Amino acid sequence: MKVNEHASGKRLDQARRLKVLVLGAAGLTREEIGRECSCSINSVSRVILVAGGRPSRRSRRRSRSSRQLSLLEREEIRVAVAQGKSIREIAEVIGRHPSTICRELARNGGRKGYRATKADDRACSQMARRKPSKLTLTPKLRRVVRRWLVEDLSPEQISGRLKVKYPNDPEMRISHETIYQSLYVQSRGQFRKDLTKCLRTGRS
């Protein structure tokens, strides 16, 4: 099946532009996208260029929460911005809170510099980057947690004792789930493996 070259000189409507981006996000080549959307490779390239570049296959295939904007929603934001719509109008169009739209634009070049695929690539990159735990970022808290673990307190007891001992210091608050996660998942360079022996079950 050949690409429809007749469409190369025509501006694609919004539905087909969105389809081009979605197919690109799925990892299809520009030739394959052209066949699926009945348009030329040049038209596909223009849509991708205007949206901010070639979508990343690896980043697009990563699952994301429904609370996070999708590539389709970001393209709708880009179109609405180009139409001069207000933040509230854009929010109504895609069914999101105005503050979400405001943050999205502020993080990605504002109204003049916003590009859907660039914004989506940036968001996917941030999702992929492992965030350091609170124990990693707060040396004082780490020292206290370490000491109390050695003293045979459980993570639940440590979490409760911190609230009593440091009632006015939010940095000295941590949930028992975070302590477990730090011990088992993010312990490199921060907790020695033998600290897990301090847990009451003794299981590694």
Side-chain angles (χ1 to χ4, degrees), residues 16 34 58 79 82 112 133 163:
R16 283 206 291 174
R58 290 178 63 187
V79 171
K112 291 184 178 180
S133 69
K163 295 176 184 178

Side-chain angles (χ1 to χ4, degrees), residues 10 13 33 77 80-81 91 103-104 108 168 171 173 181:
K10 295 183 179 180
D13 56 31
I33 296 171
I77 290 173
V81 166
R103 286 194 300 270
E104 173 70 9
N108 297 287
N168 300 316
E171 284 195 349
R173 301 286 178 84
Q181 183 183 38

Side-chain angles (χ1 to χ4, degrees), residues 108-120:
N108 297 287
R111 284 180 169 271
K112 291 184 178 180
Y114 188 77
R115 294 292 183 272
T117 54
K118 282 187 176 180
D120 202 60

Side-chain angles (χ1 to χ4, degrees):
M1 179 179 179
K2 293 184 178 180
V3 175
N4 184 356
E5 295 295 340
H6 180 67
S8 62
K10 295 183 179 180
R11 183 180 179 84
L12 298 181
D13 56 31
Q14 184 177 354
R16 283 206 291 174
R17 289 200 304 274
L18 293 176
K19 186 176 181 180
V20 165
L21 291 174
V22 170
L23 292 176
L28 273 68
T29 65
R30 299 188 186 202
E31 291 82 1
E32 290 169 335
I33 296 171
R35 287 195 293 270
E36 289 290 332
C37 298
S38 299
C39 64
S40 71
I41 296 172
N42 287 338
S43 294
V44 173
S45 298
R46 281 197 296 271
V47 171
I48 292 173
L49 182 63
V50 169
R54 177 63 173 165
S56 166
R57 292 188 187 186
R58 290 178 63 187
S59 63
R60 291 294 177 272
R61 288 176 176 173
R62 187 173 293 111
S63 61
R64 66 182 77 186
S65 166
S66 60
R67 293 176 297 178
Q68 296 166 320
L69 291 171
S70 65
L71 175 60
L72 187 63
E73 288 175 317
R74 288 189 164 99
E75 177 59 17
E76 289 178 335
I77 290 173
R78 187 196 67 78
V79 171
V81 166
Q83 293 172 345
K85 292 185 177 180
S86 68
I87 296 293
R88 290 191 175 279
E89 287 174 329
I90 297 172
E92 289 178 5
V93 168
I94 68 171
R96 295 281 187 169
H97 195 277
S99 63
T100 300
I101 310 303
C102 189
R103 286 194 300 270
E104 173 70 9
L105 292 175
R107 291 169 182 163
N108 297 287
R111 284 180 169 271
K112 291 184 178 180
Y114 188 77
R115 294 292 183 272
T117 54
K118 282 187 176 180
D120 202 60
D121 277 334
R122 180 175 180 270
C124 289
S125 177
Q126 289 177 336
M127 283 192 292
R129 195 178 302 125
R130 177 177 288 179
K131 297 177 177 63
S133 69
K134 188 172 184 179
L135 286 173
T136 301
L137 298 173
T138 315
K140 180 182 177 182
L141 176 62
R142 187 168 66 247
R143 287 193 298 270
V144 172
V145 171
R146 184 196 298 266
R147 186 176 73 246
W148 287 348
L149 280 171
V150 172
E151 293 176 3
D152 201 29
L153 270 69
S154 69
E156 289 85 353
Q157 288 174 323
I158 292 172
S159 179
R161 182 178 286 193
L162 285 168
K163 295 176 184 178
V164 175
K165 189 172 180 62
Y166 304 96
N168 300 316
D169 189 350
E171 284 195 349
M172 297 298 289
R173 301 286 178 84
I174 190 170
S175 68
H176 65 277
E177 290 94 344
T178 302
I179 296 175
Y180 280 118
Q181 183 183 38
S182 295
L183 284 169
Y184 290 116
V185 181
Q186 297 174 328
S187 61
R188 296 175 186 173
Q190 304 301 332
F191 283 93
R192 296 178 181 176
K193 291 182 179 179
D194 59 1
L195 273 180
T196 58
K197 296 176 184 178
C198 298
L199 297 177
R200 290 186 168 187
T201 61
R203 291 178 296 179
S204 60

